[in-house]
Amino acid sequence: MPQHRLALCSQDFLKWFEKTVHRTVKEFRMFSEEDRVLVAVSGGKDSLALWKVLRKLGYSADGLYIDLGIGEYSSRSQERVLALADQLGAELITVNLREELAAIPELREYSSRETCSLCGMVKRYFFNKVARERGYDVVATGHNLDDEAGALLGNVLGWNLRYLGRKLPVLEEEEGFVRKVKPLVRLTEKETALYCILSGIDYIEEECPFSEGAPTISYKEILNSLEEKSPGTKMRFYFEYIRRVAPLFERGVHRELTTCRVCGEPSPAEVCGICRLRERVVNLKGTGRSSTG
Ligand code: AMP
Ligand code: FES
Ligand code: ZN
């Protein structure tokens, strides 16, 4: 690992990985031993590794899987999540999107949003709703350094100030939002894959069929080629942003929020995006039509 000037054997790598997660949780005051953590697990390497490490470190961490209804991809993901829940003897909550709203491939017909962004909105909504309803203190996701540095690059290229202000390892609890944390921000994609392989976690390697051609993939590639020439670039890009730039956004880029009249979740409008979608699904299903709007 040239960016850390470290070369480790497998046993030491596993210890180093766990220590790095622990250090990140402490450094950013993500949660304590008393908190109830809900880990959003997708079946991919990052979130499964995170779940295992948090349990190993002694945190109270249950899993949340959202069955998005994306054909074989979703069923194969779910198998991996169930297998790890079994291995850990941990509680797993499953939300079936088909029952709650509509499966992602169907939901696309009711929204003009690009699929991944629509899916992201749906996932964030249920992470928060489930955590709030079941009394969890914090939601942890498996976003790693590559995800965060890639997304940061994308937001910088578009000078997207609203998203830039929220690209942080911790989003504090506010106005109906449970605290959100990303304990893997110090670890790369390669490192989480290695952790899974060395610690016997079976994860889904294929990507979601809708992610093909997503711009974040090319941002990650650009950062990887910079990293190869100059190890440590990715870390520096992300952590210097957190240290020096993000505090400038603390005031100012704030959304005005109210409470959704229908479901009670926080929302920028009187009725939240998910309830508006649900209304469209119900109405158009009733008339047997579908629409984009
Ligand atoms: P992604 O947006 O697919 O890169 O996923 C980012 C993080 O969101 C993952 O590391 C998981 O923590 C969480 N996540 C993604 N998909 C799901 C899912 N279907 N169910 C639960 N959590 C998920
Ligand atoms: Fe949601 Fe791919 S996982 S669109
Ligand atoms: Zn709502």
Side-chain angles (χ1 to χ4, degrees):
M1 297 182 287
Q3 78 275 31
H4 301 298
R5 294 169 200 262
L6 266 181
L8 301 174
C9 68
S10 32
Q11 282 316 306
D12 285 348
F13 174 80
L14 291 174
K15 275 188 242 151
W16 172 84
F17 188 98
E18 289 156 10
K19 241 171 70 187
T20 304
V21 175
H22 204 183
R23 186 180 129 211
T24 312
V25 169
K26 298 261 178 241
E27 177 186 357
F28 293 101
R29 295 196 174 88
M30 292 182 167
F31 44 81
S32 70
E33 281 75 10
E34 283 74 48
D35 287 323
R36 290 182 69 216
V37 184
L38 186 62
V39 186
V41 275
S42 64
K45 56 190 181 327
D46 306 306
S47 48
L48 292 183
L50 174 63
W51 196 13
K52 180 156 182 170
V53 172
L54 292 184
R55 305 261 315 179
K56 218 166 159 190
L57 293 171
Y59 291 108
S60 143
D62 296 339
L64 168 64
Y65 174 70
I66 302 187
D67 181 353
L68 301 163
I70 309 181
E72 288 282 297
Y73 169 74
S74 286
S75 41
R76 280 198 286 270
S77 307
Q78 189 170 17
E79 281 167 21
R80 307 311 200 277
V81 173
L82 286 169
L84 185 63
D86 229 32
Q87 194 193 107
L88 299 176
E91 186 179 340
L92 173 69
I93 301 167
T94 301
V95 169
N96 187 331
L97 200 57
R98 248 187 239 102
E99 289 164 13
E100 297 291 333
L101 197 60
I104 291 293
E106 189 188 343
L107 211 51
R108 296 168 72 204
E109 297 176 24
Y110 297 92
S111 169
S112 57
R113 272 181 188 243
E114 191 252 320
T115 309
C116 286
S117 133
L118 171 68
C119 176
M121 171 176 98
V122 168
K123 284 189 281 200
R124 285 191 298 275
Y125 177 87
F126 286 103
F127 293 167
N128 198 63
K129 189 161 190 287
V130 171
R132 251 165 37 109
E133 285 176 357
R134 306 222 186 187
Y136 287 93
D137 300 290
V138 52
V139 172
T141 54
H143 294 93
N144 58 39
L145 179 61
D146 295 86
D147 295 326
E148 295 307 283
L152 178 61
L153 179 59
N155 288 326
V156 165
L157 291 175
W159 288 117
N160 193 332
L161 295 192
R162 210 180 93 194
Y163 287 125
L164 265 178
R166 298 179 63 78
K167 268 286 137 238
L168 299 169
V170 177
L171 287 177
E172 287 300 342
E173 172 182 352
E174 55 161 355
E175 302 177 74
F177 285 111
V178 172
R179 187 190 306 162
K180 311 274 170 14
V181 299
K182 300 167 183 167
L184 298 185
V185 284
R186 286 195 172 278
L187 294 151
T188 63
E189 231 158 64
K190 253 191 207 160
E191 289 158 0
T192 61
L194 198 54
Y195 184 85
C196 287
I197 293 164
L198 295 175
S199 74
I201 299 174
D202 184 20
Y203 62 90
I204 183 157
E205 282 183 56
E206 70 190 85
E207 296 287 338
C208 157
F210 295 115
S211 73
E212 211 176 291
T216 44
I217 297 178
S218 37
Y219 299 145
K220 284 184 187 176
E221 283 168 4
I222 291 165
L223 287 170
N224 278 337
S225 70
L226 293 172
E227 181 74 23
E228 214 168 280
K229 291 193 192 88
S230 172
T233 302
K234 227 186 282 178
M235 276 275 187
R236 215 163 34 245
F237 178 56
Y238 183 67
F239 284 97
E240 287 305 294
Y241 162 78
I242 296 296
R243 196 170 70 84
R244 295 161 59 174
V245 185
L248 303 177
F249 287 104
E250 242 160 47
R251 285 166 288 117
V253 234
H254 211 73
R255 293 178 300 169
E256 288 295 328
L257 285 177
T258 169
T259 302
C260 169
R261 163 162 70 70
V262 182
C263 72
E265 284 292 295
S267 159
E270 199 189 336
V271 178
C272 78
I274 298 289
C275 287
R276 285 202 305 267
L277 256 175
R278 183 178 288 115
E279 223 174 79
R280 246 174 271 157
V281 172
V282 170
N283 286 344
L284 290 167
K285 265 188 178 166
T287 61
R289 286 186 302 123
S290 69
S291 153
T292 300

